[in-house]
Amino acid sequence: MSPTPFLILVIALISTNSLSQHLFIVNEHASQIEKSAFTVRALGQNYREQNATRALYALRLGYGFTSRWSILVSGSLSNHHDRRLPPDLIGHTHVGNQTHYYTQPIRRGVDYPHLFNGVYVMSRYMIVEDAVGGKPFKLGLYGEWSAVETAHDDAEPDLMNDTGGYGFGLVSTFQKSRFAAGVTSGYIVPNSYFEMQPDHSGGPDLPTTIEYGNAFRYNVSFGYQLNSPGSEGVVDWNVYLEFAGKSFDAADVVQNGTLITNRTVALRKGSYLEIQPGIQRCVGPGNRLELSVAISMINSSYAHFTPVWTLAYQRYFFRD
């Protein structure tokens, strides 16, 4: 199927949360969880990587401490990585009496077990809630922290699934009638990953570290509510068109205190932009079902193949 009819089909088939709440499917939003309310969000995601199917499952709990401050805690498991880095991550050649070490190409399509990735926490605080031209506008700050620690062998950091570390940024949303738009930008500072790797000379295992580069994320979202706003007893159907991009520095591989020459494309710096159409169905004030797909638009991520399909359900529990 060609890209244009495919996008039209996806946009026609997907549903997301109510635009009146400024809740997008993929990207962050400035609106907060209602004070003293809980949310539970279950998410499943998959894509094909050559002959393997990569899957991720996540559960996120959210709580609104005040009308401006909320916190989200997530745990996830996936089969994106093995328990350890590939034993042949570092290769070598002999030139005379000298040995030259270098990173080797990363293997794709290998079957991995489903493993628990770790815990991810995000906190949002709304600093502006005003009207621009009489239309709602919100601006918020967010901070994120991750205890995720996987054997991630790509340069691109992802605090939710692949790398520990922290990040921060700004998020804004704007609404006019049935239309909503949002912009998110942020900075990511990942932790490094450490393990003992085999010594090619046959000696004891050597301390090996992958030092991931920092990253900048940029996201833009557009949404449209299909039914009339404020309709009583009507199921809300919303369609979304979102864009998610990231620019990241190269990763360094250090073994036994020595920087290894990088010959691996996936460990180099990069940037990409994906287009993510989606659809959402909201029933009442507390139920939200959504489907979206991510498609490469400019360059491609080395950390995942596309298309990436995401199906999620979210439930709100409001205070009486």
Side-chain angles (χ1 to χ4, degrees):
M1 182 181 291
S2 64
T4 301
F6 179 73
L7 291 178
I8 295 174
L9 176 62
V10 173
I11 293 173
L13 292 179
I14 302 174
S15 65
T16 315
N17 43 1
S18 173
L19 292 183
S20 62
Q21 297 176 339
H22 301 267
L23 302 180
F24 300 108
I25 296 178
V26 179
N27 298 329
E28 295 302 321
H29 51 86
S31 296
Q32 296 301 309
I33 302 170
E34 183 177 311
K35 181 180 179 181
S36 301
F38 287 93
T39 69
V40 178
R41 178 177 172 85
L43 176 148
Q45 187 180 85
N46 72 79
Y47 61 89
R48 291 288 294 176
E49 183 182 292
Q50 296 182 354
N51 295 325
T53 297
R54 299 290 185 228
L56 177 139
Y57 306 98
L59 182 67
R60 187 182 73 180
L61 305 178
Y63 181 73
F65 288 97
T66 70
S67 60
R68 291 180 176 268
W69 177 39
S70 62
I71 190 167
L72 305 167
V73 180
S74 304
S76 66
L77 62 89
S78 71
N79 64 346
H80 292 182
H81 309 286
D82 207 346
R83 290 182 173 86
R84 294 174 57 85
L85 293 171
D88 58 351
L89 174 68
I90 300 174
H92 68 286
T93 56
H94 297 285
V95 180
N97 294 326
Q98 293 185 328
T99 302
H100 298 278
Y101 294 92
Y102 55 88
T103 61
Q104 299 201 99
I106 294 170
R107 295 174 294 174
R108 300 298 191 184
V110 180
D111 288 329
Y112 297 135
H114 284 84
L115 303 172
F116 180 66
N117 297 321
V119 176
Y120 167 82
V121 180
M122 170 177 279
S123 181
R124 294 195 305 252
Y125 185 81
M126 185 165 55
I127 56 177
V128 175
E129 184 175 14
D130 206 343
V132 176
K135 307 303 179 183
F137 172 79
K138 297 181 180 182
L139 177 66
L141 296 170
Y142 77 84
E144 54 184 347
W145 173 83
S146 170
V148 170
E149 187 175 3
T150 62
H152 180 58
D153 48 6
D154 297 279
E156 178 189 345
D158 186 332
L159 300 186
M160 175 71 178
N161 309 316
D162 295 327
T163 49
Y166 66 92
F168 51 87
L170 287 170
V171 55
S172 61
T173 56
F174 174 80
Q175 183 184 4
K176 181 177 180 180
S177 186
R178 302 189 189 189
F179 175 78
V183 177
T184 300
S185 60
Y187 195 68
I188 300 171
V189 182
N191 295 335
S192 58
Y193 175 81
F194 171 84
E195 73 172 44
M196 301 297 290
Q197 276 265 307
D199 181 5
H200 290 282
S201 65
D205 289 354
L206 301 175
T208 304
T209 301
I210 297 184
E211 298 174 349
Y212 307 102
N214 298 340
F216 178 71
R217 56 176 293 201
Y218 32 89
N219 308 75
V220 179
S221 299
F222 302 99
Y224 186 78
Q225 186 173 355
L226 297 179
N227 57 283
S228 300
S231 301
E232 294 295 334
V234 176
V235 173
D236 284 333
W237 288 90
N238 307 304
V239 290
Y240 290 86
L241 189 62
E242 304 186 67
F243 300 86
K246 189 182 291 182
S247 299
F248 48 91
D249 295 330
D252 290 329
V253 177
V254 179
Q255 187 170 76
N256 204 29
T258 301
L259 179 64
I260 304 300
T261 301
N262 181 23
R263 294 185 184 176
T264 304
V265 173
L267 291 171
R268 297 173 184 170
K269 69 177 183 179
S271 64
Y272 65 90
L273 179 67
E274 294 177 346
I275 185 171
Q276 301 174 326
I279 187 168
Q280 180 185 50
R281 182 176 187 263
C282 301
V283 182
N287 293 282
R288 164 185 164 197
L289 180 65
E290 57 201 24
L291 174 68
S292 67
V293 59
I295 305 166
S296 296
M297 186 176 178
I298 300 176
N299 300 328
S300 298
S301 169
Y302 294 121
H304 63 262
F305 286 29
T306 58
V308 180
W309 292 91
T310 301
L311 178 65
Y313 172 76
Q314 184 157 324
R315 171 72 177 176
Y316 292 81
F317 298 90
F318 299 99
R319 182 180 58 182
D320 293 334

